């Protein structure tokens, strides 16, 4: 059984350094991308404070993301590239940090409680193949420390998962 540790941290960088260690340990020895996405979303949802959704969307074609493993309320299944915060992250190939989703034109509301969102594109040699999406019920929940930390977590997921199997 995997035991999550909960400690008090003086800073977000410290928090993410520890969470990265937990994710490496959790995924160690497993390369199945769906199993790893499921466990990554579960770890983040339970370890990170103030989230209402954490999960994955994967590109099923060049133009469309499809819902993958997640934790939180049921979500929209298909998102066109270029649409919503997730589709924008794919189109730009860079992370999207949205402090207030109500102020983001084209935001796709899946859970009406969501107020801020952080979307990290998943990158491998042939380009973006999906996104890791985090939602919070608190406006301004995510800052640049969260972006750097979750980018590091996403990179661990990508490095540990083998899509060729
Ligand atoms: N809000 C996202 C859609 C996915 S849900 O938040 C889970 C978007 O605008 O792309």
């Amino acid at each position: 059984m995997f035991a999550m540790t909960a400690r008090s941290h003086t800073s977000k960088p410290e928090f993410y350094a520890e969470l990265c260690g937990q994710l490496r340990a959790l995924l160690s020895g497993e390369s199945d991308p769906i199993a790893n996405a499921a466990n990554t979303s579960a770890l983040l949802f339970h370890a990170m404070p103030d989230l209402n959704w954490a999960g994955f969307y994967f590109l099923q074609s060049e133009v469309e993301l499809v819902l993958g493993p997640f934790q939180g309320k049921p979500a929209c299944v298909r998102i066109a590239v270029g649409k919503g915060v997730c589709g924008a992250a794919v189109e730009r190939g860079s992370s999207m940090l949205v402090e207030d989703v109500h102020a983001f034109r084209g935001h796709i509301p899946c859970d009406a409680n969501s107020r801020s969102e952080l979307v990290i594109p998943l990158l491998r040699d042939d380009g973006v193949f999906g996104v890791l999406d985090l939602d919070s019920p608190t406006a301004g929940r995510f800052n640049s420390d969260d972006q750097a930390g979750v980018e590091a977590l996403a990179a661990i997921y990508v490095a540990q998962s083998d899509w060729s199997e």
Side-chain angles (χ1 to χ4, degrees):
M1 189 180 72
F2 182 80
M4 289 198 304
T5 53
R7 293 193 200 139
S8 59
H9 300 85
T10 56
S11 71
K12 284 190 175 186
E14 281 181 4
F15 170 80
Y16 284 108
E18 182 168 339
L19 193 53
C20 281
Q22 290 189 35
L23 182 62
R24 273 191 214 96
L26 178 61
L27 304 187
S28 164
E30 181 54 67
S31 60
D32 184 274
I34 297 301
N36 284 346
N39 265 340
T40 299
S41 56
L43 178 67
L44 270 51
F45 187 75
H46 290 286
M48 291 178 65
D50 205 18
L51 296 187
N52 61 323
W53 204 89
F56 289 78
Y57 282 88
F58 295 115
L59 278 174
Q60 297 293 344
S61 71
E62 286 182 6
V63 296
E64 191 173 60
L65 289 160
V66 177
L67 182 64
F70 70 94
Q71 300 270 311
K73 288 186 179 170
C76 39
V77 174
R78 293 173 189 273
I79 298 175
V81 170
K83 299 292 182 191
V85 186
C86 293
V90 173
E91 194 170 60
R92 297 179 195 187
S94 58
S95 299
M96 299 287 301
L97 198 170
V98 179
E99 293 189 357
D100 181 357
V101 296
H102 295 165
F104 185 91
R105 207 176 155 152
H107 170 254
I108 300 167
C110 290
D111 181 339
N113 285 332
S114 295
R115 287 300 310 279
S116 58
E117 185 159 3
L118 177 60
V119 180
I120 311 296
L122 304 173
L123 292 158
R124 60 186 179 202
D125 291 347
D126 55 349
V128 178
F129 67 96
V131 298
L132 172 58
D133 181 16
L134 303 180
D135 285 21
S136 169
T138 303
R141 156 69 179 83
F142 305 107
N143 66 13
S144 57
D145 285 339
D146 295 290
Q147 180 176 330
V150 181
E151 285 174 349
L153 291 160
I156 292 168
Y157 165 76
V158 172
Q160 187 62 40
S161 302
D162 186 353
W163 289 87
S164 65
E165 289 175 353

